[in-house]
Amino acid sequence: MTVQRQLHLNVNVLATGRHNAAWRHPSVSKSVSDIGHFIEIAQTAERGTFDAIFFADHQALDESAAYRPWHSLDPAILIAAISQATTHIGLVATSSTTVDQPYHVARKVATLDHVSHGRMAWNFVTSQQDSIAQNFGYERLPGHADRYRRANEFVDVVVKLWDSWDDEAVVADTQTGQYVDFARVRPIEHRGEFFSVRGALNLPRPPQGRPVLIHAGDSGDSRAIGARFADGIFTVQRTYEEARVFYEDLKSRARGAGRRDGGPLILPGLYPVVAPTEAEALARKAEFDALLDTADELAKLAARYGYPAAKLDLDKPFPDDILGNVGTAATNRGFLENLVRESRRENLTVRQVLGRNPLGGHRLIVGGPEQIADEIQHWFENHAADGFNLNFDAYPSGLALFVDHVVPVLRRRGLFRTAYSGTTLRDHLGLERPANHIRAGGADGLLAAAN
């Protein structure tokens, strides 16, 4: 029997919303630390039967705090609290392979998978700012290639640690007095370029076998590690044509890496501004845009390109030479090039570019429910995406509008679930529970290794 392909929807949670001025609106929370606010977002997403909610992280005081709420709370602790106020929604937390340690991450994420009864995912990143390195004893981050060599080894160790327990290792036999069968638990004995980890993990195998692995990025190294390990890829794709190319490239790389599961789910970022009608959606965007300081937004856009703000005229075309000062190794060069191509293709003025979410990166669409659903369906059915990592202008109102108006349209079209059919994030994503590839037993067990 052929199983119909399932659309996947994830929410990228920012404290107050994707719109830079959302927090200035009287209806929006001003707090970056109100747990009730984040629980309401999670419960709204769960009401819409979303696959998961996602928390990025920045382990330094973000300069953006000068003008908007920022990523402040530790995602793991935040998710632990949210898991107790929800029952089905998946939970994605970010942790860096550059400044953290594999055993710490493996234990933390496995703990959260147990606490949430199998709803956890780890978004592994390599970090991009030296300000993060300077909080962990380094002056600057390692080079790009070094960060990705470390990341490959890091994720490999984490997966081995999750597999260091057999599913049946906890016996809890009250008659014999045996609690753990140490023949079914073994050290991983990892010795590599960056890490030396004996193992085993000090808690049983996670409910999902392995928590879901997510990765974000667009470089060649990022695509390679995503194709090797990731169950899902968060990506910035602003046009359908480029998304199709990215989609096929990742699926092809996964096949080349020997994967037989179809490769990672591709989930481009999307920023929909929705209301019951197109006119109301346009009015909503205009209301939030009116709260922006245009000169400040212009200065920030110019700074990202290393371009003089004085040379940007709001009502003239976005300049063709704006990429000239962007270094080839810039972490966001792919996005900057993408935005320039978009401006040339549509002959956009600087003012129009500012209205396209240029600082947030993800594609912006404004419209009524049917219009938003049309765009999602087109990308999904034509294999430019397996779903979307959704951003909303303000939380929770922007998400609630999508849940109440777009989700019903997607359901009527047979694209999206009407109810959860399982309880784990792997269930939601259509992923099988993986077998233990280093299944413990016999003389290889922990006690034998210790003797």
Side-chain angles (χ1 to χ4, degrees):
M1 180 180 70
T2 301
V3 178
Q4 183 176 355
R5 187 162 161 257
Q6 169 79 56
L7 175 69
H8 299 288
L9 297 178
N10 184 82
V11 181
N12 180 16
V13 180
L14 297 93
T16 55
R18 170 59 66 186
H19 197 285
N20 277 344
W23 68 275
R24 301 176 69 179
H25 194 277
S27 69
V28 177
S29 169
K30 311 295 184 256
S31 176
V32 297
S33 58
D34 178 4
I35 185 60
H37 172 67
F38 290 108
I39 287 174
E40 182 180 0
I41 294 169
Q43 290 174 337
T44 303
E46 189 167 75
R47 178 165 64 83
T49 62
F50 277 61
D51 295 271
I53 57 173
F54 159 59
F55 292 93
D57 194 22
H58 186 80
Q59 293 172 294
L61 180 58
D62 197 321
E63 293 179 358
S64 69
Y67 61 87
R68 61 164 297 153
W70 70 104
H71 293 298
S72 176
L73 299 179
D74 185 313
I77 298 173
L78 181 58
I79 277 174
I82 290 172
S83 72
Q84 302 308 292
T86 54
T87 57
H88 285 78
I89 192 78
L91 307 162
V92 187
T94 299
S95 189
S96 172
T97 59
T98 301
V99 299
D100 216 324
Q101 288 290 321
Y103 194 95
H104 176 232
V105 170
R107 185 186 185 211
K108 175 175 64 176
V109 176
T111 297
L112 287 168
D113 205 47
H114 283 285
V115 166
S116 67
H117 304 292
R119 293 187 280 142
M120 190 62 195
W122 169 39
N123 174 44
F124 60 92
V125 300
T126 64
S127 300
Q128 296 180 342
Q129 291 83 20
D130 287 337
S131 60
I132 295 174
Q134 290 157 9
N135 287 335
F136 292 87
Y138 309 101
E139 281 301 311
R140 58 186 58 84
L141 291 173
H144 179 91
D146 290 338
R147 294 203 308 277
Y148 274 93
R149 287 206 324 278
R150 177 185 168 102
N152 271 277
E153 186 178 340
F154 193 117
V155 180
D156 182 52
V157 173
V158 168
V159 171
K160 288 177 180 176
L161 285 167
W162 288 337
D163 279 351
S164 62
W165 284 64
D166 188 14
D167 287 323
E168 295 81 26
V170 177
V171 179
D173 190 328
T174 59
Q175 298 300 312
T176 66
Q178 184 180 37
Y179 192 77
V180 172
D181 179 0
F182 267 21
R184 295 181 178 276
V185 182
R186 71 178 187 186
I188 65 172
E189 299 292 2
H190 177 86
R191 300 289 184 272
E193 178 183 3
F194 296 96
F195 305 109
S196 176
V197 182
R198 179 174 187 265
L201 204 59
N202 67 339
L203 75 163
R205 195 165 188 242
Q208 294 184 100
R210 295 180 209 138
V212 172
L213 290 171
I214 302 291
H215 182 58
D218 191 31
S219 70
D221 288 328
S222 177
R223 294 185 189 204
I225 196 172
R228 179 184 176 192
F229 288 114
D231 299 302
I233 300 288
F234 293 160
T235 177
V236 176
Q237 302 296 330
R238 295 179 68 97
T239 71
Y240 166 76
E241 292 78 11
E242 288 164 344
R244 281 285 306 273
V245 172
F246 180 90
Y247 186 99
E248 180 50 40
D249 181 61
L250 259 294
K251 301 292 186 178
S252 176
R253 286 172 183 261
R255 291 191 294 270
R259 292 179 58 169
R260 299 178 181 178
D261 58 359
L265 297 169
I266 309 301
L267 306 169
L270 184 64
Y271 174 9
V273 178
V274 64
T277 66
E278 180 183 18
E280 289 172 287
L282 291 167
R284 177 181 174 90
K285 182 175 184 299
E287 183 177 3
F288 282 107
D289 285 350
L291 300 173
L292 287 169
D293 182 329
T294 302
D296 186 51
E297 294 296 300
L298 186 68
K300 287 182 287 193
L301 178 63
R304 292 194 67 173
Y305 282 94
Y307 195 81
K311 293 179 65 175
L312 293 175
D313 187 319
L314 286 171
D315 297 309
K316 289 187 177 179
F318 200 56
D320 286 341
D321 65 343
I322 198 167
L323 280 169
N325 291 327
V326 179
T328 56
T331 56
N332 59 356
R333 184 178 177 88
F335 158 66
L336 299 176
E337 292 175 340
N338 197 320
L339 187 58
V340 169
R341 287 194 295 271
E342 184 176 334
S343 70
R344 290 172 179 168
R345 185 169 53 249
E346 301 182 40
N347 195 28
L348 300 178
T349 65
V350 173
R351 189 186 304 276
Q352 289 170 321
V353 168
L354 284 177
R356 296 286 184 93
N357 185 40
L359 300 175
H362 297 298
R363 179 169 175 254
L364 171 72
I365 52 175
V366 183
E370 297 285 345
Q371 291 168 283
I372 303 295
D374 286 347
E375 288 291 311
I376 289 173
Q377 182 172 1
H378 176 62
W379 282 45
F380 174 66
E381 290 187 338
N382 291 284
H383 297 278
D386 293 308
F388 293 89
N389 190 27
L390 296 172
N391 302 255
F392 296 99
D393 49 11
Y395 288 103
S397 64
L399 170 60
L401 284 164
F402 187 95
V403 167
D404 292 335
H405 297 283
V406 180
V407 167
V409 177
L410 297 172
R411 287 172 172 169
R412 287 197 299 270
R413 297 181 184 185
L415 298 171
F416 193 55
R417 67 173 70 87
T418 58
Y420 290 109
S421 58
T423 60
T424 72
L425 180 53
R426 285 189 170 272
D427 291 336
H428 306 341
L429 296 175
L431 303 173
E432 293 184 0
R433 188 178 188 277
N436 188 329
H437 289 304
I438 58 168
R439 186 178 176 90
D444 293 327
L446 193 64
L447 286 180
N451 294 328

